[in-house]
Amino acid sequence: MNKQPAFLMKGSRNKGFTLVELIVVIVFMGIVAAIAGPSLNTIIKNSQLTTQANDFVASLNFARAEAVSRGAWVTMCRSINGSDCNTGTGDWEEGWIVCHDETPFGDCDGAGDQLLRVYDGLDPGITLRNTTEDSGGNTYVTMDDFVRFGPLGQAVGSTNETLDSNTGFNLCDSRDASFGYKVSIIATGRVTTSKPADVCP
């Protein structure tokens, strides 16, 4: 005697979700998404800032390494067009370049100057500004236009002044300074990062 498959037997039913069960699952998923959403957004923003800070530090270290290996002055300056330094206009987040500054005047466009590397601007919503003053009103050496590294790896600011431990850049997004990074450069040319930023726009 042949037996019928179980799913054809009398009284058997295909099991699945009822409409009520489906609605409960959807509501539960909505609650989880509402709780996890802000945290995920914070993680993404933090990761983005960290990546941009690492890229900026890498470019400063590249400029310093080139200065030492060439035994010459190397300038890193803000640039919009990727070939010339911006003096008195624009902001660092719009991009920067590194050049062998033969002159050396920190302009990357004199006789014998050689463009070494071009860096595109930062992601939208992220700012990179020179620390000229902290929240307490203390004034630091400016690197508003450029920073130069010498044959021994030493660093000087836009006015050829020796840098101190407070000199650096603030990297920020739309949140407050507690989420931002400070990229510091001392007279020996050593570059470090720390949190929080001094000030954010």
Side-chain angles (χ1 to χ4, degrees):
M1 178 174 165
N2 295 329
K3 293 185 177 180
Q4 289 183 323
F7 66 89
L8 293 178
M9 291 178 64
K10 186 178 180 180
S12 68
R13 295 173 54 189
N14 290 328
K15 294 187 177 180
F17 290 111
T18 66
L19 181 60
V20 173
E21 289 172 331
L22 187 59
I23 291 173
V24 169
V25 170
I26 291 173
V27 170
F28 177 74
M29 290 176 64
I31 293 171
V32 171
I35 294 172
S39 298
L40 181 60
N41 188 46
T42 298
I43 291 171
I44 292 172
K45 284 188 173 183
N46 289 345
S47 177
Q48 185 182 34
L49 266 185
T50 300
T51 299
Q52 304 278 239
N54 290 339
D55 288 346
F56 186 63
V57 169
S59 61
L60 286 166
N61 286 330
F62 167 76
R64 183 172 186 253
E66 283 293 309
V68 173
S69 65
R70 292 168 180 268
W73 285 93
V74 169
T75 290
M76 185 170 127
C77 63
R78 57 186 184 177
S79 175
I80 296 176
N81 59 16
S83 60
D84 300 315
C85 295
N86 297 337
T87 303
T89 59
D91 294 305
W92 281 90
E93 64 261 23
E94 296 171 341
W96 58 89
I97 58 177
V98 176
C99 75
H100 171 209
D101 197 0
E102 182 72 23
T103 336
F105 294 138
D107 52 14
C108 290
D109 59 3
D113 291 354
Q114 178 187 0
L115 187 63
L116 301 177
R117 194 165 289 182
V118 177
Y119 295 87
D120 295 328
L122 302 181
D123 293 340
I126 295 182
T127 59
L128 179 63
R129 307 289 168 83
N130 173 223
T131 303
T132 55
E133 186 176 292
D134 67 8
S135 57
N138 300 307
T139 302
Y140 304 139
V141 177
T142 179
M143 291 182 295
D144 198 38
D145 294 327
F146 62 84
V147 56
R148 292 192 301 128
F149 295 94
L152 300 178
Q154 73 273 29
V156 296
S158 299
T159 53
N160 291 321
E161 295 174 279
T162 301
L163 306 183
D164 60 36
S165 60
N166 291 314
T167 305
F169 296 85
N170 289 313
L171 182 72
C172 306
D173 58 15
S174 58
R175 298 171 295 176
D176 60 54
S178 65
F179 292 95
Y181 283 92
K182 180 177 179 180
V183 179
S184 303
I185 311 171
I186 60 175
T188 61
R190 182 170 175 264
V191 182
T192 59
T193 58
S194 60
K195 295 185 76 170
D198 284 328
V199 291
C200 287

